[in-house]
Amino acid sequence: MSTPNFTFRSATPADVPALVTLVESSYRGDSARTGWTSEADILGGQRTDADMVADAVSGPGSRMLVAETGDGPVACCQLENRDGHAHFGMFAVAPAAQRGGLGSKVLAEAERLAREEWDADEMRMTVISVREELIAWYVRRGYARTGEKHPFFYGDERFGIPKRDDLEFELLVKPLR
């Protein structure tokens, strides 16, 4: 699939419902299975909710980057400014727009913003460690596996309902300078 024509902008509170729908469609349920980022086999329930997205849009030190076409958001990610580094999260690309390079462009723009607007030295993120294909995608874009692991949010259904008992997050890091 080719990358759609899109523009970047920062999300506003009015974008929250559309961004919740975008994130959910990218990771959960049958719609997510049409793309390659689905977590439907390892997690049920929700991926995010309106309160979490609103915090990402308006929270201190947080920015939600949106890639949109004339039809609305097709990709998004959250950036957080954290003491000299940026944290990357809530990354979603609409399943129909996946496999065309849009995700790489969003990631590159997020890195540029973190470096140029926040003077961040590195980008950090956590990825569910069993998502080997996704981790490999980040590694091809310059991220290093640190081996540092963090527990999954078992018992907090705001982040999904685990279908396995071996989930944990792995920290990935990329220098921005």
Side-chain angles (χ1 to χ4, degrees):
M1 161 170 277
S2 64
T3 302
N5 291 327
F6 65 93
T7 56
F8 286 118
R9 66 175 176 82
S10 292
T12 69
D15 294 312
V16 170
L19 295 177
V20 170
T21 299
L22 172 63
V23 172
E24 289 295 313
S25 72
S26 298
Y27 289 95
R28 298 289 196 273
D30 290 336
S31 65
R33 293 181 193 281
T34 64
W36 70 275
T37 61
S38 174
E39 296 173 342
D41 292 332
I42 61 171
L43 292 162
Q46 72 178 32
R47 174 66 157 75
T48 193
D49 61 30
D51 290 338
M52 287 189 278
V53 174
D55 286 346
V57 169
S58 301
S62 182
R63 176 177 186 171
M64 195 78 169
L65 177 66
V66 177
E68 69 179 352
T69 65
D71 295 328
V74 291
C76 66
C77 68
Q78 178 186 16
L79 293 168
E80 292 180 18
N81 189 355
R82 296 185 180 174
D83 299 324
H85 74 273
H87 182 82
F88 179 83
M90 210 178 298
F91 185 30
V93 177
Q98 292 179 17
R99 293 188 171 95
L102 178 57
S104 293
K105 291 177 181 177
V106 172
L107 182 61
E109 178 66 3
E111 292 167 354
R112 184 194 71 75
L113 289 171
R115 183 178 51 252
E116 294 179 10
E117 293 187 13
W118 293 341
D119 200 29
D121 291 328
E122 65 184 13
M123 184 80 82
R124 298 180 188 177
M125 69 179 74
T126 56
V127 179
I128 298 173
S129 63
V130 298
R131 303 283 322 276
E132 290 293 338
E133 183 180 13
L134 182 58
I135 291 171
W137 185 86
Y138 286 118
V139 167
R140 289 191 302 273
R141 281 146 190 84
Y143 287 80
R145 298 182 83 161
T146 64
E148 183 179 323
K149 304 283 176 83
H150 302 275
F152 186 78
F153 306 115
Y154 284 97
D156 188 344
E157 292 186 5
R158 294 177 308 148
F159 300 100
I161 302 168
K163 296 181 179 181
R164 359 179 349 166
D165 62 4
D166 63 342
L167 301 180
E168 61 186 350
F169 294 104
E170 182 172 351
L171 177 67
L172 305 180
V173 176
K174 179 180 179 177
L176 297 178
R177 303 201 181 282

